[in-house]
DNA sequence: CGGCATCCTATGAGATACTG
DNA sequence: CAGTATCTCATAGGATGCCG
């Protein structure tokens, strides 16, 4: 199915092969995964409810789905305690922790360039108000 | 009738507080943007059709939408040539180019850790086949 | 060629209700 | 508590057609 994602030959006949990092983006930056990973990374091991409270707007259904994916991909570790009431804890895995520098880079990029993005938007919006040749 | 055609649905309203990098992720890693930016960064200035050919599976509608968003956010530059037939070229902006190291980091992470992800998946799948306590 | 305008559907994801 | 199970709805995005 998927071959070497970081191949040197830039043949892009395949869907995603126009961009070698696409599969990675898919697992790391799919919806809700960033807040989840970020929270687990900064807050440490958390119970399901605690995690849910952190990411206030997420529903338990979606949170469960995302956690399953992250667990499946080895980025998050799930620990089930047979108790009454049941207790389940989630923590970031070693593999997941290797993403920290990446996230830091991203945060850094944001702090440096976000203003530029907003300026670009304002400019674009202004130019869009006036009828012009597209 | 026409609303803001370039408004990207904010993937996060609240999660922003749980995850500071969420807005950035939204503009850089929303669907299709990675292949587009990657291609423009490596291939340089391209016409619409050329770009479309590179990212083979994308439809022109979606490509247009994504390009508008990227243009709006200042990551790509659109140049319109009044000719017959019309010629439109897209290139990555200086701001967009600042993403290169980030993408490189991502590619590096992939080359190092992707195997681990696949192993985790295999393990998970295997464990899932056997009845176990969830 | 580089798009919009339409139409249409598959999927994501919210709301709600219910269990071990 | 930590989920499932449904249901519904919005929307991302594909297919098609037309036009300057």
């Amino acid at each position: 199915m998927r071959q070497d994602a970081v191949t040197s030959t830039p043949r892009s006949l395949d869907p995603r092969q126009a961009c070698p990092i696409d599969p990675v983006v898919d697992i790391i930056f799919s919806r809700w995964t960033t807040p989840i990973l970020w929270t687990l990374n900064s807050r440490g091991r958390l119970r399901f409810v605690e995690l849910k409270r952190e990411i206030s707007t997420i529903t338990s259904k979606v949170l469960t789905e995302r956690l399953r994916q992250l667990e499946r991909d080895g980025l998050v570790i799930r620990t089930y305690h047979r108790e009454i009431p049941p207790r389940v804890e989630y923590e970031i895995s070693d593999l997941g922790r290797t993403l920290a520098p990446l996230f830091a880079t991203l945060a850094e990029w944001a702090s440096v360039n976000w203003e530029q993005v907003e300026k670009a938007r304002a400019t674009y919006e202004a130019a869009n108000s006036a009828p012009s040749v597209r």
Side-chain angles (χ1 to χ4, degrees), chain A residues 50-104:
Chain A
E50 293 170 337
L51 191 51
K52 182 161 151 49
R53 259 193 297 268
E54 285 298 317
I55 312 164
S56 48
T57 54
I58 201 170
T59 61
S60 54
K61 178 198 156 199
V62 175
L63 180 55
T64 304
E65 289 169 356
R66 298 293 90 190
L67 281 171
R68 287 284 181 280
Q69 182 202 315
L70 292 169
E71 187 195 0
R72 181 189 106 133
D73 292 340
L75 299 175
V76 160
I77 299 171
R78 177 184 184 270
T79 312
Y80 179 85
H81 302 272
R82 307 185 73 83
E83 299 173 5
I84 301 172
R87 184 162 54 97
V88 177
E89 291 181 316
Y90 291 93
E91 62 188 315
I92 199 162
S93 69
D94 287 342
L95 182 58
R97 239 183 296 273
T98 64
L99 291 171
L102 183 68
F103 280 29

